[in-house]
Amino acid sequence: AQTVTQSQPEMSVQEAETVTLSCTYDTSESDYYLFWYKQPPSRQMILVIRQEAYKQQNATENRFSVNFQKAAKSFSLKISDSQLGDAAMYFCAYRSGFPQGGSEKLVFGKGTKLTVNP
Amino acid sequence: DGGITQSPKYLFRKEGQNVTLSCEQNLNHDAMYWYRQDPGQGLRLIYYSQIVNDFQKGDIAEGYSVSREKKESFPLTVTSAQKNPTAFYLCASSGRTATGQPQHFGDGTRLSIL
Protein backbone atom coordinates (compact mmCIF):
# COMPACT_ATOMS: atom_id res chain seq x y z
CA ALA A 1 0.00 0.00 0.00
CA GLN A 2 1.12 3.51 -0.71
CA THR A 3 2.05 5.85 2.12
CA VAL A 4 2.60 9.60 2.26
CA THR A 5 4.80 11.24 4.89
CA GLN A 6 4.95 14.91 5.82
CA SER A 7 7.81 15.25 8.27
CA GLN A 8 7.11 18.84 9.35
CA PRO A 9 4.05 19.08 11.61
CA GLU A 10 4.43 22.88 11.76
CA MET A 11 6.26 25.55 9.79
CA SER A 12 6.34 29.32 9.97
CA VAL A 13 7.37 31.99 7.49
CA GLN A 14 7.57 35.76 7.42
CA GLU A 15 5.20 37.55 5.11
CA ALA A 16 6.74 38.06 1.63
CA GLU A 17 9.36 35.36 2.18
CA THR A 18 9.60 31.85 0.72
CA VAL A 19 8.87 28.57 2.47
CA THR A 20 9.17 24.95 1.40
CA LEU A 21 6.98 22.15 2.72
CA SER A 22 8.28 18.59 2.46
CA CYS A 23 6.49 15.45 1.34
CA THR A 24 7.80 11.97 0.64
CA TYR A 25 5.85 8.96 -0.51
CA ASP A 26 6.33 5.26 -0.90
CA THR A 27 5.06 3.37 -3.94
CA SER A 28 6.08 0.64 -6.31
CA GLU A 29 4.02 2.13 -9.14
CA SER A 30 5.51 4.10 -11.99
CA ASP A 31 2.39 6.00 -12.98
CA TYR A 32 0.64 8.16 -10.41
CA TYR A 33 -0.47 11.67 -9.51
CA LEU A 34 0.51 13.88 -6.61
CA PHE A 35 -1.46 16.75 -5.13
CA TRP A 36 -1.10 19.49 -2.57
CA TYR A 37 -4.30 20.58 -0.84
CA LYS A 38 -4.73 23.58 1.44
CA GLN A 39 -7.14 23.58 4.39
CA PRO A 40 -7.63 27.05 5.94
CA PRO A 41 -9.36 27.52 9.30
CA SER A 42 -12.70 27.31 7.48
CA ARG A 43 -11.82 23.59 6.99
CA GLN A 44 -12.57 23.64 3.26
CA MET A 45 -10.12 21.53 1.24
CA ILE A 46 -8.73 23.54 -1.66
CA LEU A 47 -6.56 22.10 -4.43
CA VAL A 48 -3.28 23.99 -4.67
CA ILE A 49 -1.32 22.11 -7.32
CA ARG A 50 -1.17 18.81 -9.18
CA GLN A 51 1.75 16.84 -10.66
CA GLU A 52 1.67 13.91 -13.07
CA ALA A 53 4.48 11.45 -12.38
CA TYR A 54 5.20 10.92 -16.08
CA LYS A 55 5.95 14.61 -16.53
CA GLN A 56 9.47 15.67 -15.65
CA GLN A 57 8.59 19.34 -15.60
CA ASN A 58 7.66 20.65 -12.18
CA ALA A 59 4.14 22.04 -11.87
CA THR A 60 3.65 25.74 -11.14
CA GLU A 61 0.57 27.73 -10.15
CA ASN A 62 1.31 31.41 -9.62
CA ARG A 63 3.26 31.65 -6.32
CA PHE A 64 3.11 27.89 -5.75
CA SER A 65 5.55 25.46 -7.31
CA VAL A 66 6.72 21.94 -6.63
CA ASN A 67 10.05 20.18 -6.67
CA PHE A 68 9.22 16.69 -7.88
CA GLN A 69 12.06 14.18 -7.52
CA LYS A 70 10.67 10.88 -8.79
CA ALA A 71 13.71 8.74 -7.99
CA ALA A 72 13.83 10.08 -4.45
CA LYS A 73 10.01 9.89 -4.15
CA SER A 74 9.94 13.45 -2.96
CA PHE A 75 7.32 16.11 -3.72
CA SER A 76 7.95 19.40 -1.92
CA LEU A 77 5.82 22.54 -2.19
CA LYS A 78 7.42 25.97 -2.44
CA ILE A 79 5.38 29.05 -1.62
CA SER A 80 6.95 32.30 -2.80
CA ASP A 81 6.09 35.79 -1.57
CA SER A 82 4.07 34.33 1.30
CA GLN A 83 0.85 36.09 2.18
CA LEU A 84 -1.23 36.09 5.35
CA GLY A 85 -3.93 34.19 3.48
CA ASP A 86 -1.54 31.31 2.91
CA ALA A 87 -1.79 30.35 6.57
CA ALA A 88 -3.42 26.91 6.64
CA MET A 89 -2.88 23.19 6.96
CA TYR A 90 -1.27 21.77 3.85
CA PHE A 91 -1.80 18.17 2.86
CA CYS A 92 0.17 16.15 0.37
CA ALA A 93 -1.79 13.39 -1.39
CA TYR A 94 -1.07 10.48 -3.73
CA ARG A 95 -3.31 8.86 -6.33
CA SER A 96 -2.48 5.78 -8.34
CA GLY A 97 -2.34 6.10 -12.09
CA PHE A 98 -3.88 2.67 -12.41
CA PRO A 99 -6.54 2.85 -9.74
CA GLN A 100 -7.93 -0.46 -8.60
CA GLY A 101 -11.44 -0.90 -9.91
CA GLY A 102 -11.37 2.50 -11.55
CA SER A 103 -11.50 4.41 -8.29
CA GLU A 104 -9.44 7.52 -7.82
CA LYS A 105 -8.74 7.10 -4.10
CA LEU A 106 -6.39 9.59 -2.50
CA VAL A 107 -3.83 8.71 0.18
CA PHE A 108 -3.09 11.70 2.40
CA GLY A 109 -0.19 12.70 4.60
CA LYS A 110 -0.90 14.01 8.10
CA GLY A 111 -0.41 17.62 7.11
CA THR A 112 1.82 20.59 7.86
CA LYS A 113 0.44 23.62 9.68
CA LEU A 114 1.81 26.79 8.10
CA THR A 115 1.85 30.04 10.05
CA VAL A 116 2.55 33.31 8.24
CA ASN A 117 3.94 36.07 10.46
CA PRO A 118 3.31 39.74 9.51
CA ASP B 1 -22.34 27.28 -9.69
CA GLY B 2 -21.38 23.62 -9.54
CA GLY B 3 -20.18 22.19 -6.28
CA ILE B 4 -20.64 19.83 -3.38
CA THR B 5 -23.08 20.56 -0.58
CA GLN B 6 -22.76 18.90 2.80
CA SER B 7 -25.37 19.23 5.50
CA PRO B 8 -25.69 19.85 8.30
CA LYS B 9 -22.59 21.85 9.16
CA TYR B 10 -22.77 20.69 12.81
CA LEU B 11 -24.40 17.53 14.11
CA PHE B 12 -24.77 16.06 17.56
CA ARG B 13 -25.37 12.41 18.29
CA LYS B 14 -26.79 10.80 21.37
CA GLU B 15 -25.46 7.48 22.54
CA GLY B 16 -27.07 4.58 20.68
CA GLN B 17 -28.40 6.82 17.93
CA ASN B 18 -27.76 6.57 14.19
CA VAL B 19 -27.21 9.84 12.35
CA THR B 20 -27.01 10.56 8.63
CA LEU B 21 -24.76 13.11 6.95
CA SER B 22 -25.89 14.44 3.61
CA CYS B 23 -23.70 14.98 0.54
CA GLU B 24 -25.05 16.30 -2.76
CA GLN B 25 -23.07 17.25 -5.88
CA ASN B 26 -24.11 18.92 -9.12
CA LEU B 27 -20.78 18.44 -10.90
CA ASN B 28 -22.01 15.38 -12.81
CA HIS B 29 -19.18 13.38 -11.25
CA ASP B 30 -19.34 9.60 -11.25
CA ALA B 31 -17.21 8.95 -8.17
CA MET B 32 -17.96 10.11 -4.64
CA TYR B 33 -16.04 9.65 -1.39
CA TRP B 34 -16.38 10.04 2.36
CA TYR B 35 -13.37 10.92 4.53
CA ARG B 36 -12.93 11.28 8.23
CA GLN B 37 -10.50 13.83 9.69
CA ASP B 38 -9.26 13.72 13.28
CA PRO B 39 -6.94 16.28 14.93
CA GLY B 40 -3.34 15.70 13.91
CA GLN B 41 -4.36 13.21 11.26
CA GLY B 42 -4.72 13.38 7.54
CA LEU B 43 -7.93 12.36 5.85
CA ARG B 44 -8.86 8.68 6.06
CA LEU B 45 -11.21 7.08 3.56
CA ILE B 46 -14.44 5.61 4.93
CA TYR B 47 -16.38 4.58 1.79
CA TYR B 48 -16.33 5.39 -1.89
CA SER B 49 -18.65 4.88 -4.82
CA GLN B 50 -17.76 4.79 -8.51
CA ILE B 51 -21.25 4.42 -9.94
CA VAL B 52 -24.86 4.42 -8.80
CA ASN B 53 -25.92 1.42 -6.69
CA ASP B 54 -22.32 0.41 -6.08
CA PHE B 55 -19.90 1.31 -3.29
CA GLN B 56 -16.78 -0.08 -1.61
CA LYS B 57 -15.33 0.04 1.87
CA GLY B 58 -12.38 2.27 2.49
CA ASP B 59 -9.80 1.99 5.23
CA ILE B 60 -12.07 2.69 8.22
CA ALA B 61 -15.57 1.52 7.21
CA GLU B 62 -16.53 -0.19 10.46
CA GLY B 63 -19.49 1.52 12.14
CA TYR B 64 -20.51 3.40 8.99
CA SER B 65 -22.90 2.71 6.13
CA VAL B 66 -23.64 4.44 2.82
CA SER B 67 -26.03 4.30 -0.12
CA ARG B 68 -25.80 5.55 -3.69
CA GLU B 69 -29.29 5.55 -5.16
CA LYS B 70 -28.72 8.67 -7.26
CA LYS B 71 -25.64 9.95 -9.01
CA GLU B 72 -25.89 13.26 -7.19
CA SER B 73 -26.24 11.92 -3.66
CA PHE B 74 -24.03 9.85 -1.34
CA PRO B 75 -25.31 9.97 2.26
CA LEU B 76 -23.24 8.58 5.12
CA THR B 77 -24.84 7.01 8.19
CA VAL B 78 -22.84 6.89 11.39
CA THR B 79 -24.27 3.96 13.30
CA SER B 80 -24.29 3.25 17.01
CA ALA B 81 -21.58 0.67 16.33
CA GLN B 82 -19.13 3.52 15.72
CA LYS B 83 -17.88 4.07 19.26
CA ASN B 84 -15.77 7.13 18.55
CA PRO B 85 -17.69 9.17 15.97
CA THR B 86 -16.51 12.63 17.02
CA ALA B 87 -14.65 13.97 13.99
CA PHE B 88 -14.85 16.20 10.96
CA TYR B 89 -16.36 14.47 7.93
CA LEU B 90 -15.60 15.50 4.37
CA CYS B 91 -17.36 14.40 1.22
CA ALA B 92 -15.62 14.58 -2.16
CA SER B 93 -16.31 13.77 -5.79
CA SER B 94 -14.34 13.34 -8.98
CA GLY B 95 -14.92 12.58 -12.61
CA ARG B 96 -14.17 8.96 -13.43
CA THR B 97 -13.42 9.09 -17.12
CA ALA B 98 -10.52 11.51 -17.15
CA THR B 99 -7.54 10.26 -15.20
CA GLY B 100 -5.71 12.54 -12.85
CA GLN B 101 -8.71 14.71 -12.15
CA PRO B 102 -8.50 16.14 -8.67
CA GLN B 103 -11.17 15.48 -6.11
CA HIS B 104 -13.48 18.34 -5.20
CA PHE B 105 -14.51 18.65 -1.56
CA GLY B 106 -17.53 19.89 0.31
CA ASP B 107 -17.29 22.18 3.33
CA GLY B 108 -17.60 19.32 5.82
CA THR B 109 -19.77 18.28 8.76
CA ARG B 110 -18.55 18.33 12.33
CA LEU B 111 -20.06 15.49 14.37
CA SER B 112 -19.97 15.55 18.15
CA ILE B 113 -21.29 13.32 20.92
CA LEU B 114 -23.84 14.72 23.36
Side-chain angles (χ1 to χ4, degrees):
Chain A
Q2 293 81 21
T3 59
V4 176
T5 301
Q6 293 180 247
S7 60
Q8 306 153 317
E10 297 187 23
M11 292 282 285
S12 63
V13 63
Q14 290 297 124
E15 195 175 4
E17 294 189 347
T18 295
V19 64
T20 298
L21 308 183
S22 300
C23 172
T24 57
Y25 56 94
D26 186 25
T27 185
S28 58
E29 299 175 332
S30 59
D31 187 21
Y32 49 86
Y33 300 86
L34 297 164
F35 304 87
W36 277 99
Y37 280 89
K38 167 185 178 181
Q39 188 180 43
S42 65
R43 305 300 296 271
Q44 185 181 17
M45 291 288 284
I46 302 166
L47 178 69
V48 175
I49 203 163
R50 180 183 77 159
Q51 175 78 44
E52 293 97 333
Y54 60 85
K55 289 188 177 180
Q56 292 187 343
Q57 186 174 7
N58 290 324
T60 299
E61 288 287 341
N62 300 316
R63 298 182 295 107
F64 298 87
S65 61
V66 298
N67 183 5
F68 173 49
Q69 301 290 328
K70 191 172 184 178
K73 296 180 183 175
S74 172
F75 182 59
S76 60
L77 175 70
K78 185 172 82 171
I79 306 174
S80 304
D81 186 25
S82 297
Q83 301 175 0
L84 295 177
D86 294 335
M89 284 290 289
Y90 285 82
F91 292 96
C92 179
Y94 171 101
R95 206 218 82 186
S96 172
F98 298 101
Q100 185 178 19
S103 167
E104 299 179 355
K105 294 189 295 180
L106 289 175
V107 177
F108 286 87
K110 292 187 176 182
T112 296
K113 182 180 180 181
L114 178 66
T115 301
V116 181
N117 300 311
Chain B
D1 288 337
I4 301 174
T5 301
Q6 289 188 242
S7 63
K9 194 173 181 67
Y10 300 96
L11 186 58
F12 298 90
R13 195 191 88 169
K14 295 179 181 178
E15 194 168 336
Q17 183 183 47
N18 294 350
V19 292
T20 297
L21 284 60
S22 171
C23 178
E24 303 275 337
Q25 57 100 356
N26 60 3
L27 298 167
N28 199 32
H29 283 166
D30 288 303
M32 296 186 73
Y33 310 82
W34 275 105
Y35 293 93
R36 170 177 171 143
Q37 186 177 25
D38 294 283
Q41 301 285 331
L43 278 65
R44 293 183 291 168
L45 184 65
I46 304 172
Y47 268 98
Y48 64 98
S49 169
Q50 301 166 58
I51 56 173
V52 174
N53 293 323
D54 185 56
F55 48 84
Q56 287 79 41
K57 293 181 179 180
D59 301 319
I60 54 166
E62 186 175 351
Y64 300 96
S65 66
V66 294
S67 63
R68 187 87 186 275
E69 298 176 0
K70 298 186 299 181
K71 186 176 183 178
E72 302 80 16
S73 178
F74 191 42
L76 173 74
T77 297
V78 184
T79 74
S80 57
Q82 173 50 247
K83 298 307 180 186
N84 184 24
T86 297
F88 188 66
Y89 292 85
L90 282 159
C91 178
S93 70
S94 67
R96 186 186 180 196
T97 54
T99 59
Q101 280 191 346
Q103 291 183 12
H104 299 261
F105 287 83
D107 289 342
T109 293
R110 174 164 293 284
L111 176 61
S112 302
I113 296 295
L114 279 178

